[in-house]
Amino acid sequence: SVGESANVEQKWLLQTVRPSDGLVHATNDKLFMGFPLVQRIAFSLAAALQAPTVSTIMTLAFDQDFRLHGVGIPNPSFARYELKAPAGFRFPSTCLSAAEIAKVAKLFDKCSGVAQLANLVSQRPSMIKGTRDDLQVQLVVDVAAQTPTPNLWTLE
């Protein structure tokens, strides 16, 4: 999705680094004209259980201040969000909870888990607008054996 800064000119720095010594051996010197890639999404997570290695239900709640749209696509037919957990956490291949699947008015139709990534897909992106009080989804996740450092989660 595109945020309010969509018209701000941005330049991207591209570099290649030699694995042998870590030195930059090619660069575009920030001459590549770029674009704003993502909008910041404020979110919170709450796990029903926090014991190591258990499978638990985690509630993802997030804020989405504007209706989703794409360049030249005012009403997209789907939206995809990716939740990335820190090392040690694992999402099952089907990661919506049973309660989430049973909901009549759900935000996301599908959640596909692969290792520490959960891909959430909605066929009704026009519903994804509001605050954490309204935008919540319950996911299944296997808790890490030890709390990772850093314990950093991302939502894109």
Side-chain angles (χ1 to χ4, degrees):
S1 58
V2 179
E4 293 176 14
S5 63
N7 295 326
V8 176
E9 181 179 305
Q10 303 209 2
K11 294 184 180 181
W12 289 51
L13 174 63
L14 303 174
Q15 298 177 328
T16 56
V17 177
R18 276 193 304 248
S20 60
D21 57 14
L23 294 176
V24 174
H25 67 92
T27 180
N28 69 340
D29 294 322
K30 245 183 173 177
L31 298 177
F32 180 79
M33 294 304 297
F35 50 88
L37 188 57
V38 294
Q39 169 77 20
R40 181 173 295 272
I41 303 171
F43 70 97
S44 62
L45 297 165
L49 301 172
Q50 298 177 356
T53 69
V54 301
S55 184
T56 188
I57 303 300
M58 179 174 285
T59 301
L60 165 65
F62 62 99
D63 297 327
Q64 181 69 44
D65 298 332
F66 56 90
R67 297 246 182 259
L68 298 175
H69 63 278
V71 177
I73 307 171
N75 298 306
S77 60
F78 73 95
R80 185 179 69 83
Y81 286 72
E82 181 179 271
L83 178 64
K84 183 177 182 183
F89 287 85
R90 191 184 74 74
F91 292 99
S93 58
T94 301
C95 45
L96 289 178
S97 72
E100 193 68 32
I101 292 169
K103 285 182 182 176
V104 175
K106 53 186 156 226
L107 291 175
F108 297 100
D109 304 285
K110 181 178 175 185
C111 179
S112 301
V114 177
Q116 66 198 65
L117 296 176
N119 287 295
L120 299 147
V121 177
S122 174
Q123 299 297 325
R124 293 170 303 285
S126 62
M127 289 179 56
I128 304 177
K129 181 178 188 269
T131 66
R132 291 177 217 200
D133 295 334
D134 305 315
L135 302 177
Q136 297 186 9
V137 60
Q138 291 184 349
L139 306 173
V140 178
V141 64
D142 296 333
V143 178
Q146 295 181 331
T147 303
T149 303
N151 190 3
L152 178 67
W153 296 71
T154 59
L155 179 65
E156 298 178 347

